[in-house]
Amino acid sequence: NQVLEKFSDGVKATAAKNGGLFVDQFHPYLTVLDKARAAGPKYDRITAGDAVHPGPPGQALMAASILKGLGFPRFVSSVEIDAATSKVVAAKNCQPTNVAAKDGGVAFDRLDAALPFFPPEAESILRWAPLLEELNDYGLKVTGLKAGKYEIRLGGKKVAEHSADDLARGVNLAAPVLAAGPVADPGKAVKAAIEAKNRFHHDRIFRGVVLAGLSAPDWLDLKITPAEIETQRQAAYKSRMAKMPELDAEVRKSLEMKSHRVEIVPAAN
């Protein structure tokens, strides 16, 4: 870590010299590591991976530092509903419709222009760093409710429970809605589509073509010249690259937003 800190200082100096943006990944990462290690030796590897390379939890730490350094917006979307009148008070980056009274509470359809996200394979890091909430503000505010506890349901399933006072102040639902349901599912679909595209490019184009050598292994005993290999390699590259627009289309398709029903109803005793 002492050597890595010198590398970090070098990158910072290079960025300053060339007018570039410097984002410190090292110190936020080390701060979380030290916090975990202080809790006991069994937490030495909270970033997963091996002793040098981080796994998804550590990569999420690094990505969070980069996103914050780039000014990535924490805000996702928000809506405010007056349950007493079944009216929309305010909405930002989403379209609430079909507001109606519901079993002593209120319900409406919510069509978001953006959704919260956090990679599920990195969730173990959230014990040590609140990255999910730091990068996602998915707001709900409901006034005009009678005192008591209320269930928040998405698509008919309970995702959270809050008091009327909490809801009147406004709550961030990013964490509970990402557990499962109509907000979590689109994020999973986008992630799967992007990973399919990346995997194809990495395996079939980068490793399969770009890194391929210009000579066949001698143990294959193939009578083929480097020029012939290059001709076939270029043909393979062109053929495989032709699939990329199809994979891009799948990513765009997965990004299509759909509305979901939100219900805020009195919690069962």
Side-chain angles (χ1 to χ4, degrees), residues 81 102-108 140 142 145 150-153 167 262-266:
I81 303 291
K102 172 74 175 180
D103 300 335
V106 68
F108 62 96
L140 173 66
V142 184
L145 293 170
Y150 288 81
E151 293 183 2
I152 294 93
R153 300 175 184 167
L167 289 165
V262 181
E263 299 171 327
I264 300 96
V265 296

Side-chain angles (χ1 to χ4, degrees), residues 137-224:
D137 183 1
Y138 187 69
L140 173 66
K141 184 175 182 179
V142 184
T143 58
L145 293 170
K146 293 181 179 179
K149 291 281 188 178
Y150 288 81
E151 293 183 2
I152 294 93
R153 300 175 184 167
L154 270 60
K157 295 184 178 180
K158 179 181 176 180
V159 297
E161 184 174 308
H162 288 281
S163 69
D165 288 340
D166 288 340
L167 289 165
R169 287 189 292 267
V171 294
N172 181 5
L173 292 177
V177 302
L178 285 179
V183 172
D185 292 344
K188 294 175 183 176
V190 173
K191 183 174 183 290
I194 291 173
E195 287 176 343
K197 172 188 170 183
N198 289 350
R199 186 165 52 250
F200 177 84
H201 189 278
H202 178 270
D203 295 348
R204 301 288 289 158
I205 298 174
F206 179 64
R207 294 191 66 86
V209 178
V210 175
L211 295 185
L214 289 179
S215 61
D218 57 6
W219 48 267
L220 284 178
D221 195 28
L222 296 177
K223 306 304 181 183
I224 185 170

Side-chain angles (χ1 to χ4, degrees), residues 16 56 80:
E80 179 180 350

Side-chain angles (χ1 to χ4, degrees), residues 6-194:
K6 292 180 180 179
F7 289 165
S8 178
D9 291 341
V11 174
K12 183 176 182 180
T14 301
K17 180 180 178 181
N18 292 279
L21 172 66
F22 172 73
V23 175
D24 183 4
Q25 298 178 64
F26 175 74
H27 290 98
Y29 192 99
L30 188 60
T31 297
V32 175
L33 281 183
D34 288 342
K35 177 182 177 182
R37 287 168 176 166
K42 69 177 181 178
Y43 299 117
D44 281 353
R45 296 285 179 84
I46 62 164
T47 57
D50 56 36
V52 177
H53 306 95
Q59 292 163 357
L61 269 178
M62 297 166 69
S65 293
I66 294 171
L67 290 172
K68 293 173 186 177
L70 292 174
F72 183 82
R74 176 176 179 266
F75 179 79
V76 180
S77 70
S78 66
V79 61
E80 179 180 350
I81 303 291
D82 181 0
T85 60
S86 297
K87 298 290 185 181
V88 177
V89 177
K92 187 175 180 181
N93 218 33
C94 76
Q95 297 177 8
T97 56
N98 301 321
V99 185
K102 172 74 175 180
D103 300 335
V106 68
F108 62 96
D109 293 325
R110 179 170 182 164
L111 176 61
D112 295 296
L115 294 174
F117 176 76
F118 191 82
E121 63 269 31
E123 286 180 351
S124 62
I125 201 65
L126 298 179
R127 174 178 178 179
W128 309 102
L131 304 181
L132 196 161
E133 288 84 359
E134 287 179 356
L135 295 174
N136 296 278
D137 183 1
Y138 187 69
L140 173 66
K141 184 175 182 179
V142 184
T143 58
L145 293 170
K146 293 181 179 179
K149 291 281 188 178
Y150 288 81
E151 293 183 2
I152 294 93
R153 300 175 184 167
L154 270 60
K157 295 184 178 180
K158 179 181 176 180
V159 297
E161 184 174 308
H162 288 281
S163 69
D165 288 340
D166 288 340
L167 289 165
R169 287 189 292 267
V171 294
N172 181 5
L173 292 177
V177 302
L178 285 179
V183 172
D185 292 344
K188 294 175 183 176
V190 173
K191 183 174 183 290
I194 291 173

